[in-house]
Amino acid sequence: MKFGVVIFPGSNCDHDALYALESNLGQEAVPIWHQSEDLQGCDAVVLPGGFSYGDYLRAGAIAHFSPVMKAVKRFADSDGLVIGICNGFQALTEAHLLPGALVRNANLHFVCKTVHLAAGTKDSPFTSHCPSTPLAIPVAHGEGRYHADAATLDELERADRIAFRYCDAEGKLTEAANPNGSARHIAGVLSEGRNVLGMMPHPERAADPVMGSTDGRCIFESMIGALSLAS
Amino acid sequence: MSEITPAVVREHGLTAEEYQRVLDRLGRTPTLTELGVVSVMWSEHCSYKSSRLHLKKLPTKGPGILVGPGENAGIVDIGGGWAAAFKIESHNHPSYIEPFQGAATGVGGILRDIFTMGARPIAVLDSLRFGPLDDPENGARNRHILEGVVGGISHYGNCFGVPTVGGECLFDPGYSGNPLVNVFALGIFRHDQIFFGRATGVGNPVIYVGAKTGRDGIKGASMASEEFSADSEAKRPNVQVGDPFLEKLLLEACIEAMQTGAVLGIQDMGAAGLTCSTCEMGGRSGAGIEIDLKLVPQRETGMTPYEIMLSESQERMLLVAERGREAEVFAVFEKWGLDAAEIGTVTDDGLLRVNNHGETVAELQNSFLTDDAPLYDRPHTVPARSAPLDGPPVADVDSAQALDALRKLVGSADLCSKRWIWEQYDYQVRTNTTAGPGGDAAVVRVKEAGVSLAMALDGNSRYCALDPKAGAMLNVAESCRNLSVVGAQPLGATNNLNFGNPEKPEIMAQLVAAIEGIGEACSHFGAPITGGNVSLYNETLGKGINPTPVLGVVGLIPGMEAPPSSVFPAEGLTLLLLGGWMPGAEDALDRRFGSSQYARVVLGQTWGLPPALDLDFEKKVQDLTRSLVREGLVEAAHDLSDGGLAVAAAECSFGPAGMGASIAAPGDLPAVYALFHESPSRVLIAVRAETVERVQQEAAAAGVPAPVAGRTVAGFLELKVGDRTLIAAPIEGLYEAWDGALRRQLEGE
């Protein structure tokens, strides 16, 4: 499959995503510059982590005005698979491709550590290959606390659109296991069409055994599986 | 133009003799701009005038050294046509005045030193010192400084996209009014991509790139060369403000511009800004540089030549391009949305000539500002000693006291977990960190070269305060030992020398002795010094800090596998103590114990001498450790340092697997020494039962004792000395004391 990794000025997990997709998962992966509207015929688009445009307004706020985001919106509207990781998730909520917002962590500090995630649903092109046991995947963000009004949160739950929740190693949704104070432990959500995923944790950092965990691979493997079925 | 009165000269920190040198050389009164330029270039921070004479004695050559001291960073060969550039730099004074921006711009400055040479930064480490957080008088202020500094490092490094992979953080009352923020950065590039800060080719354009110049940070270098007084707060405008996003764009643009082949030389504008970059680029090549200040991009209106030349606005670079190919350079900076302007040309007269709207406002010989800066052989007597040679008699411990002491030690400011700090740093970005913060050394793989690099920062002012030379040697030994436990061979080192006022002979003596110690030990371990930084005048209200040399050592690991962990991974492994129970124990143990963390934390006083170090033996232990690790025989490895055997065993038990240990030491020494003395040259390793014999054979062949110390057990820590069980406790309670201590202090629990 061919993945496109969008590069905004200030993206800094772009190379990590390209490396994980090419070297760890054996896929074709190409960079897409933010000023381009050409997605180069990619089967799926990755919005990587970083601090796009410095994040001086709100994380991800400026990124969604860039030419590439117009193309990404069109791609998403035509059922293309889009995954936004960390800053990419923030950009997707700013672009209203996903509901809610990511606000400052509850303890006000940036946090980098490996957390556990429970897949909230198997019914998506991003989670179909995920095991039912918790996934160990790192987070690294200062603004990752998922926020939405109660009605939106209820609707996300009702429509089975919560892709991942923060949990402990046993899968329990404890207060201590929620690294940023996210509403209802939400770590990742799906779009209404289930073809757009935003998640704060970094699956590309958990794709290589030498980095300590390969639990992030199942997310990309789910995507590859879904794309193979579609083609 | 302002008149140059003796008061104006004094305000610029020049002595009467130094000012006379200026008059003699110029044959006229300097302009105010010239006086400013001379004062920053001759400041301690830029000229190293008190330390240069002694720094020359450091070993700087070795088989892997491609570029030694004198450039923006040192460079070592890492194989396969690849090289690593690294350096450490202090930002102590700004971090006291404005902790967040002071530390942030410290990170920004050292990153520019790396990428100005053409290398892409791949790792940052930092060595921090603060006053005690629970100090009744200064605690609140110290907590504020720590939180600001950590926030600043986190902000800048995370946004720039370089992982902060390790470091250290220690406390002492002497740092209350004078915190230390030493930042180390390392970058990689190919041998044929190395750039230097040299102005070459008469008539070539001098190009300014990056942020516009403002009034921030004017005379920062001079500020960093003074003691603090009660009105230091008023110097807040001297601290610069950093923009890591702009720096990230500058990195990408500079590396892309270098790839065009049109760039001949490049230097960042750090301390002393445009002044330093112009005269150093000219000074290194012997060329002259003529610039016109009206062409310099400016953020504020009405800036004087003096302000433009001395501004320390961040995220700026100066480069010299090939005449006729400027357009290629400008195109790259335009792509990244950055300012770039031709502000002058390279000349052949060796002068720095600064024009402003048709008027020459400064004309000085580059070499007069750089190589010919004052050089002092300051008087040095006997190093200042902070504590008596003899201390109280040390009582042995019973089991209740031993456990209580261990709990106090692991929860003490120096030894407790620094997780609260390093979880605020993105230590994984670039997905190369195979050993991150919290271990002995940080390790990053270099995918491009198929190898890994290990880095460790170590400073021990407790030892250096008692004997600066021996303390400095122990620092180097520990840094190199930290590399050996991850299987790395030292390639080179960088040092940051943080001391008090060098005009005091007993402080100067500390500096001289520490440099001697670093030199001897670095030669011994094959880790030549490739550059570094000297930070003097670390005093507040006349009281100096303990001498604090900080060593950053870089080592090479063949291959890209993760190194053994520093915590016990599984139950039933055999523990061996490489180096034996207590090397050097026969020599003045009662005095040497006075420098231990036990003396400081449990007994509440410090005295005596640092632990005895035998360099030859230390090297044997390190060589053995490294080869055992490389042979894949080691499941976990951790060196013994602060807090001795008991603390090392506890630290190894604080891993995610919840594995503890049962350890039995011989009973020929009092238990308090067996458990808590800090003899160097010792490494605790965990091996599989079936490999014990082979490991012991290799140790015997290397001439290193390797007694079986015990085995790993689940959830429990037991330490016996002779036939007495001194410590027997579940890991959980000790872990809580260790892991939560810093957070509790900061959150005032």
Side-chain angles (χ1 to χ4, degrees), chain B residues 63-124:
Chain B
I65 306 293
L66 299 177
V67 174
E71 296 294 338
N72 288 300
I75 301 177
V76 294
D77 182 17
I78 62 171
W82 287 82
F86 62 92
K87 195 184 178 190
I88 192 166
E89 180 104 26
S90 65
H91 234 214
N92 304 337
H93 294 73
S95 300
Y96 173 64
I97 294 172
E98 214 301 286
F100 186 95
Q101 289 298 344
T105 54
V107 176
I110 192 69
L111 289 172
R112 280 194 302 284
D113 277 337
I114 300 304
F115 71 76
T116 194
M117 302 206 71
R120 177 178 286 276
I122 62 162
V124 163

Side-chain angles (χ1 to χ4, degrees), chain A residues 9-13 16 19 33 51-54 56 109-114 138-140 204-205 208 210-211, chain B residues 154 158-159 161 243-245 248-249 336 420 423-431 433-434 445 447 560 562:
Chain A
S11 291
N12 57 34
C13 303
D16 301 353
Y19 182 82
W33 186 237
F51 290 71
S52 53
Y53 305 92
Y56 287 124
H109 294 304
F110 188 98
V111 59
C112 177
K113 66 174 176 184
T114 296
V139 290
E204 82 283 9
R205 296 188 184 187
D208 192 333
V210 78
M211 293 297 292
Chain B
S154 160
N158 295 352
C159 184
D243 179 350
F245 172 59
K248 160 88 171 156
L249 302 183
W336 290 95
W420 187 92
E423 275 190 357
Q424 296 188 48
Y425 304 149
D426 188 343
Y427 51 85
Q428 292 175 319
V429 62
R430 306 192 66 76
T431 57
T433 312
T434 56
R445 66 175 167 179
K447 292 165 191 149
M560 300 197 291

